[in-house]
Structure formats: structure tokens, C-alpha cells
Amino acid sequence: EVQLLESGGGLVQPGGSLRLSCAASGFSFSAYDMNWVRQAPGKGLEWVSGTGGGIFYADSVKGRFTISRDNSKNTLYLQMNSLRVEDTAVYYCTRVRDGGRCFEYWGQGTRVTVSS
Amino acid sequence: EIVLTQSPATLSLSPGERATLSCRASQSVSSYLAWYQQKPGQAPRLLIYDASNRATGIPARFSGSGSGTDFTLIISSLEPEDFAVYYCQQRSNWPSITFGQGTRLEIK
């Protein structure tokens, strides 16, 4: 069974940093593109960053967030620096479906609140 | 960036009725469109990929169609558990991925 378990969320002041982790199990982690998707309170879904034929970021986080993975630990990370109030959201770790054009598996999400 | 516009924003129907949800892209996404269902407090769940293929475990009452810029998700006969928010998503021009703003399907 595929499982994705995020951790690392919390309350941080504007300008601060957080590192999110996503522990994956039940599949060959190194063989799949992995992504982060977020959802601000009461809002829709927003793709944040992904690994797939390279590393890519949404314009809204470029230069502030860094995605990485440790295939030996089956873990995906998101280092978030210079956090802004508008980064407040639930952050989901996702695994793409074979073929890579959609998100087949989602974690339960970890909540990030940026507030003074 | 490809913009996905979903309509209607809210759809009010009764169990047993047929639901038709629309997603329109600002430029062609070929058939690279997916649909997700999200219930309150839960992560989204993949329903349809590549416009018309049901994901694993998705009931047959869910069907998707379309290509290019116009797509439709149909729920043939609504069950009580189908009332949720539905999102479309494209990954036609990777690395740009976009979601529609969502359609809320509520009980009438």
C-alpha cells in the first residue's frame, strides 16, 4: 500500500523558515516523480514544486523554496525560506501516476501557518 | 500559463440525479487533463486521468470526456458520498501545472 506521511508544519513568523518532510512507503520511491501541492485556507489547489526530469517551482515560490529528495531514506523534502503570510496553507506531498501527468497518491497534508 | 476555468462554481442537486461539471482550458491541453474529488478535511482523490480514464477503484458512475480545451466530468447518478468539491488539473506544458478553481457539488 502506498503511503505518504508529511511532517514539519507549524506556526512561523513572516521571514522565517520551515522544512517539510514526506516519508514514502509501499512503492519504489526513486522511480517516481514527486511533487508538493498546497491549499490555502478555504481556497483551491496550487502546485508548488516537483521533481521530474529536473526540479521545478511555481513562480510564487521560486527563489524561496527548495525541493529535494533522499532516495536512500524514501523521503521528499521542502525547505521553505523567507516565508510570507500568503504561504499559509496545507501542504500535500504527492506521487505522480505512471506517465507523470497527474497526482495519483496524496499524503494527509501538513499545515503551515505564517503569522506574526 | 494555462488557465483552467470550471463551471458552475456551485451545483445543487439531489441524490440520484445526474451531475455535469465543466472544465475549460485557455489553450489546448490535448487529453492531459485529470479530475479530483475533495471532501472536507481530506486530501484530494484522483478520479479521472488523461481526460477519460477512471483511476483505480473509482466507481463506474464517474466518467470523463473531452479533448483540447473543453472537458466534462459526469456523475451518472449521485450517491450521498459524492457531494464534495471537484477540481480539474492539467500538465500539458510541464513544468507548469495548473488546477481549476473547483466546483462545489452540494445537496439540494
Side-chain angles (χ1 to χ4, degrees):
Chain A
E1 179 191 5
V2 171
Q3 290 193 333
L4 301 171
L5 185 61
E6 303 98 333
S7 60
L11 174 63
V12 61
Q13 292 186 337
S17 298
L18 276 178
R19 188 175 85 152
L20 306 183
S21 299
C22 170
S25 61
F27 65 101
S28 178
F29 180 74
S30 61
Y32 285 89
D33 298 350
M34 299 293 294
N35 288 255
W36 291 96
V37 175
R38 70 183 180 183
Q39 187 169 36
K43 302 297 184 182
L45 301 168
E46 179 189 18
W47 172 77
V48 172
S49 180
T51 70
I55 290 178
F56 303 98
Y57 301 95
D59 288 344
S60 57
V61 307
K62 201 172 295 183
R64 302 186 298 121
F65 289 11
T66 302
I67 191 173
S68 62
R69 62 193 295 165
D70 185 337
N71 289 338
S72 69
K73 296 182 178 179
N74 292 345
T75 302
L76 179 73
Y77 302 100
L78 186 67
Q79 177 67 45
M80 304 186 296
N81 298 332
S82 303
L83 282 162
R84 305 168 179 169
V85 171
E86 55 264 36
D87 295 319
T88 295
V90 174
Y91 286 73
Y92 294 102
C93 169
T94 67
R95 195 205 87 175
V96 300
R97 187 186 171 279
D98 290 334
R101 296 203 180 262
C102 60
F103 307 116
E104 186 170 21
Y105 293 98
W106 297 65
Q108 86 290 347
T110 187
R111 185 174 302 275
V112 173
T113 302
V114 185
S115 174
S116 55
Chain B
E1 175 180 288
I2 295 177
V3 177
L4 299 179
T5 302
Q6 293 187 239
S7 62
T10 302
L11 185 57
S12 300
L13 293 170
S14 301
E17 290 192 294
R18 177 186 178 95
T20 303
L21 287 68
S22 174
C23 178
R24 176 164 291 178
S26 59
Q27 62 189 77
S28 177
V29 299
S30 184
S31 62
Y32 302 131
L33 189 105
W35 290 93
Y36 301 84
Q37 176 194 68
Q38 187 179 32
K39 297 179 180 179
Q42 296 184 16
R45 177 174 70 148
L46 177 66
L47 298 176
I48 301 288
Y49 64 92
D50 293 347
S52 61
N53 296 288
R54 275 189 302 277
T56 302
I58 301 304
R61 64 180 181 272
F62 292 91
S63 64
S65 64
S67 65
T69 61
D70 289 295
F71 299 86
T72 302
L73 174 69
I74 291 177
I75 311 171
S76 59
S77 179
L78 285 165
E79 297 287 343
E81 62 267 27
D82 298 335
F83 292 92
V85 179
Y86 292 82
Y87 295 95
C88 57
Q89 171 253 317
Q90 70 81 25
R91 187 180 161 169
S92 173
N93 59 337
W94 175 247
S96 175
I97 295 174
T98 52
F99 290 88
Q101 83 281 13
T103 289
R104 180 178 304 277
L105 178 56
E106 63 177 27
I107 298 176
K108 187 173 181 180

